Amino acid sequence: MSSWDTVLRGGRVIDPETGLDSVCDVAIAGSHVAEVRDGLSRGRADLDVTGLVVTAGFVDLHSHVNDMAGLRLQALDGVTTALELEAGATPVDAAYRTAAAQGRPVNYGFAASWAQARMQAVAGIRPGTSLAAFLASIADPRWQRPARPTQVSAMLDALSADLADGALGLGVLLGYAPAVSPDEYVKVARLAARAGVPVFTHARDLIEMVPRTLIDGAEEIVRAAGQTGAHMHYCHVNSTSQRHIDRVLSVVGRAQAAGARVTTEAYPYGSGMTAIGAAFLAPERLGERGLIPSSLTYAPTGERVATAARLRELREADPGGLAIIELLREDDPADRTILMRSLTFPGSVIASDAMPVTWAGPPADPLAWPLPRTAITHPRTAGTFSRALRLLTRERGFGLARALSKCSLEPAQLLEDRVPAMRHKGRLRAGSDADVVVFRPGGITDCASYADSTRPSAGIRHVLVNGTFVVRDGQLVPGARPGRPVRAEPR
Ligand SMILES: [Zn+2]
């Protein structure tokens, strides 16, 4: 017998980087892949995976999930690394320490949070560490005011300290603070350029939606890349672009062709989810995005918001309460085509924007599994990667390796300049991290819906993180906490 801990035998092994796509065995020793070839000897655990695909686990660049329930749903969707890069966390070291103390089923990491640094510098707001507390603060207009030069310096100092502590980049929720000076954003990008890490941006309003915007949201991102040399990452290009996706992607494409480093991500749903108190969800502003009050569903109760007056009430009573916002109609073929453009755009990676699980009624035991029926989230939390694979391969004719590349290899490559750990993820080869997903190629699909948002995906048989099973034979392994921190190497 060999010294291998696990041998996955006879699966269809796909490595998007080398193009390997053949039936062979995968041996895992400790937290690494030891060998990938045919006819390996037996390991301590020997699993027949004939008929299943064996590939690198999915790397999610956009997960707001810090709770065990949400992380488990992500693992059941094939995610082995879930990173909070858009909202970020400041101070970042505290976020890493909290996650380590909690223990996580999947690998984790954080960007520094411009919004949190700004809340502190401009308004003296110290949001708590939970996303719920942060979302409640995000509706507060005090932090969204234009900043004085000393305040900008203070926030840049806080972000610099986070970068020195290994933050993976700078997360900028610009779209939540439309009055912020474009000059401040360029300063943030310049800081990222010096550190060699990306800026992850929730874009400012597009000019088609808000003609009075200080600068068009898409132009602003690509100009910052051109002006500063920073790597600018355009978060969820699907949801902030809506029906203007062609114009936005042409702006991005032109910048890329001119040599700027601009990258994009998308999730395969027509609805978004955020705090109902967000600036752009004010009743008088809904029309900018073609929305009406009933485009919003208040998640904790499932209430469709009937009127502007009711929306005002909910924003007042629970500004951080989550709402589902119908931006594109998934039952409309034209809208579905628009949605798929953001996913099929070359280099666009799949990223979930996964949200924490909230509860209809009293919160349940955070470790309860299976999840009680009162658990609610956006279906993207549980289904993004399975759904993207289903849509790309079965509806858009992508080969499996090409679709998988958007879920594992390309997100890992996007970060690997300053994040050595990422050079061993997103690949399946001897020496790579044993973050592995094993699934039925004809059967992988999302099961979560808006009405039943926490149903785990189907077709995924095994998920290993650093060599440890977190999903085995299609079932969650509740005690597994093999997730490790992913940090940048500061320049
Ligand atoms: Zn966002």
Side-chain angles (χ1 to χ4, degrees), residues 62 86 202 236 353:
H62 193 147
E86 183 219 33
H202 178 126
H236 47 47
D353 203 356

Side-chain angles (χ1 to χ4, degrees), residues 62 64 86 173 176 202 235-236 239-240 353:
H62 193 147
H64 300 298
E86 183 219 33
L173 290 174
Y176 289 81
H202 178 126
C235 291
H236 47 47
S239 63
T240 41
D353 203 356

Side-chain angles (χ1 to χ4, degrees), residues 196-213:
V197 296
V199 178
F200 301 88
T201 305
H202 178 126
R204 198 191 289 269
D205 296 310
L206 296 181
I207 198 151
E208 294 92 336
M209 297 178 184
V210 183
R212 68 175 185 284
T213 184

Side-chain angles (χ1 to χ4, degrees), residues 13 33 77 79 155 185 216 231 254 260 299 326 333 339 342 358 377 405 411 440 453 481 484 491:
V13 179
V33 173
D77 194 37
V79 172
M155 74 183 91
Y185 183 64
D216 174 67
H231 170 186
R254 266 206 311 277
E326 188 176 57
L339 178 59
S342 58
T358 52
T377 182
S405 178
R440 209 150 41 83
S453 58
R481 306 275 194 281
R484 293 181 184 169
R491 190 179 262 172

Side-chain angles (χ1 to χ4, degrees), residues 5-6 28-32 433-436 464-469 482:
D5 296 301
T6 305
I28 293 165
S31 59
H32 288 86
D433 291 346
D435 296 342
V436 180
L464 296 98
V465 175
N466 299 307
T468 297
F469 283 92

Side-chain angles (χ1 to χ4, degrees), residues 76-264:
L76 284 158
D77 194 37
V79 172
T80 52
T81 300
L83 306 174
E84 165 59 281
L85 302 181
E86 183 219 33
T90 289
V92 81
D93 191 54
Y96 278 104
R97 276 188 276 117
T98 303
Q102 179 191 26
R104 297 211 164 182
V106 301
N107 302 309
Y108 54 90
F110 308 88
S113 174
W114 166 81
Q116 289 174 13
R118 196 173 208 285
M119 284 174 181
Q120 172 70 28
V122 174
I125 300 172
R126 276 182 185 275
T129 48
S130 75
L131 185 73
F134 175 58
L135 286 174
S137 303
I138 209 140
D140 190 327
R142 289 175 301 159
W143 79 273
Q144 303 168 20
R145 291 187 297 236
R148 293 193 300 274
T150 51
Q151 293 171 326
V152 174
S153 298
M155 74 183 91
L156 292 176
D157 286 349
L159 296 175
S160 296
D162 283 342
L163 290 173
D165 281 340
L168 299 172
L170 302 180
V172 182
L173 290 174
L174 197 55
Y176 289 81
V180 163
S181 143
D183 186 51
E184 178 179 324
Y185 183 64
V186 172
K187 288 195 169 87
V188 171
R190 200 158 273 139
L191 176 64
R194 276 202 300 275
V197 296
V199 178
F200 301 88
T201 305
H202 178 126
R204 198 191 289 269
D205 296 310
L206 296 181
I207 198 151
E208 294 92 336
M209 297 178 184
V210 183
R212 68 175 185 284
T213 184
L214 297 175
I215 178 173
D216 174 67
E219 290 286 354
E220 178 168 36
I221 289 174
V222 306
R223 281 188 205 179
Q227 264 176 281
T228 69
H231 170 186
M232 304 301 288
H233 181 75
Y234 203 132
C235 291
H236 47 47
V237 72
N238 56 302
S239 63
T240 41
S241 306
Q242 294 176 243
R243 297 185 180 91
H244 308 292
I245 189 71
D246 286 342
R247 203 269 296 173
V248 169
L249 292 178
S250 75
V251 169
V252 171
R254 266 206 311 277
Q256 290 171 334
R261 182 127 196 239
V262 183
T263 51
T264 58

